[in-house]
Amino acid sequence: MQRPSKLPAASLPGRPTFFGPQGWADLPDGLLHSIVDRLGSFRDLLGFATTCPSWRSAFSSYPSKSTFLTKLPPLLIQTHIRAQGPLLPWTSGSHELYPCKVVDPANRNTALRCWIPQDIVEKMTFIGSSYAPLASPNSHLLVSTESSLFDLPVGNDSWSELQLPCQFVIDHFVEFDGQFIVSNSYGRSYALQLAPQHGLQEIKTKPVGGRPVEGRLVVCGDMLLILSLGEFQRLDMSTEPATRVTVEKLGERALFVGAEAKSTAVSCMSPELWGGRSDIVYFARTARPWFIYRLCGRPDRMQDRPARVEPAGFGSTPVQSSVRPLWLYPSMFYSDGQ
């Protein structure tokens, strides 16, 4: 055997060959998905998705984006406050896009904005919003008129029509436990059936004071609530007729209710993870971003300081708007693995 000093020197021809990722953009999707699992705010998710094309593709293929609908708070769209930014041309070329201020409860000091067609902000009336991803095989486009409800299954070329009863005006509807619940202006609720044929079946409820209670349907986890006169009641459909039970606690949830009467209220789990508080209702307002209430309409004694509204000339300007503030989740959360 030779001593180490006598061994022939090994030579490496050229650069060594490495196998695997050469940079941040080449990280495998599995590893990037594990990073997405650990992100705790919309700002972080947006930053991840806009890092580079490969990271955006990894976010698009993330199989559980809808879980953020319960883990993160919604964004507050303040259509009455113009954010700093230019008016942009719309794709149709006949309108301009208007920059509105957006507030993220998890990052109140982060400047966000969205663009909405100017005619919508100034002239149109908000009648509702939907959250189903268009790529879902069971998505439906529902259009309500004074006399009919039209249904277009996404991917289909033909509409189906459901004739509404006389003087039946759909006030709003929610999706609860896999079915649509429709409420009319008289305080009555109906289960909307889409297959095999369209139909409305009234959810008979025990009247309060001899008449139905008019209110706003709110889905909060496994509870279907009715917001009426500042109080929340749970609609218990396990009985015949259904009964209303006063709700005093939301548990480990926070509820977000928009100033726009027909906007859909949303809830999220464990708000302490992003700096919020459980068992609290965030009511959006125009004078300030939101007020915090406990149930039964009682102001919270530990009222959080509201997000600061920047005065005119410092990035945002109050304007006249026909649409009041409302809570929404970004569309990027509604397409699992797509």
Side-chain angles (χ1 to χ4, degrees), residues 80-307:
H80 64 296
I81 298 180
R82 177 175 175 175
Q84 185 177 18
L87 292 175
L88 300 180
W90 202 13
T91 53
S92 65
S94 59
H95 301 280
E96 290 183 314
L97 295 177
Y98 171 94
C100 296
K101 185 170 182 178
V102 178
V103 180
D104 180 3
N107 294 281
R108 301 182 185 182
N109 295 324
T110 300
L112 298 174
R113 60 191 176 189
C114 67
W115 275 266
I116 301 176
Q118 192 167 5
D119 281 358
I120 292 180
V121 175
E122 297 177 350
K123 302 176 182 179
M124 295 189 179
T125 301
F126 182 87
I127 60 173
S129 60
S130 61
Y131 297 92
L134 294 180
S136 171
N138 197 32
S139 291
H140 292 254
L141 175 62
L142 301 176
V143 178
S144 176
T145 67
E146 293 182 355
S147 59
S148 300
L149 179 67
F150 295 92
D151 171 31
L152 177 67
V154 173
N156 203 324
D157 294 331
S158 60
W159 291 81
S160 299
E161 180 183 5
L162 172 64
Q163 292 283 343
L164 298 176
C166 182
Q167 296 184 342
F168 187 100
V169 178
I170 294 180
D171 189 54
H172 64 287
F173 65 87
V174 297
E175 183 183 2
F176 176 71
D177 197 22
Q179 66 177 149
F180 289 112
I181 309 295
V182 175
S183 175
N184 68 3
S185 55
Y186 296 101
R188 290 184 169 87
S189 299
Y190 298 79
L192 173 61
Q193 180 179 309
L194 298 178
Q197 62 182 10
H198 292 72
L200 288 172
Q201 181 177 359
E202 183 176 1
I203 301 174
K204 296 187 179 297
T205 58
K206 186 176 181 180
V208 178
R211 61 184 182 85
V213 177
E214 298 182 17
R216 183 175 179 179
L217 295 175
V218 176
V219 175
C220 184
D222 59 354
M223 297 188 296
L224 178 60
L225 308 179
I226 298 178
L227 172 58
S228 177
L229 301 177
E231 295 187 354
F232 285 93
Q233 295 177 327
R234 178 174 61 86
L235 187 60
D236 183 3
M237 294 187 291
S238 65
T239 62
E240 183 77 24
T243 56
R244 291 179 171 87
V245 181
T246 299
V247 176
E248 297 182 353
K249 289 185 176 295
L250 296 175
E252 296 182 355
R253 287 184 176 270
L255 191 62
F256 299 83
V257 179
E260 193 61 57
K262 293 189 177 183
S263 63
T264 302
V266 293
S267 66
C268 75
M269 286 285 293
S270 305
E272 286 80 7
L273 295 177
W274 49 264
R277 293 165 53 203
S278 297
D279 204 27
I280 287 293
V281 183
Y282 293 78
F283 280 100
R285 289 293 182 263
T286 53
R288 57 193 296 184
W290 56 75
F291 283 98
I292 299 178
Y293 284 83
R294 292 192 179 275
L295 295 197
C296 301
R298 296 191 301 268
D300 184 60
R301 294 181 179 179
M302 297 176 62
Q303 174 76 258
D304 286 357
R305 293 184 62 187

Side-chain angles (χ1 to χ4, degrees), residues 31-53:
L31 179 58
L32 292 175
H33 289 171
S34 67
I35 296 175
V36 175
D37 286 335
R38 291 162 172 78
L39 300 180
S41 71
F42 171 71
R43 181 184 63 179
D44 293 342
L45 291 169
L46 186 62
F48 179 96
T50 56
T51 298
C52 62

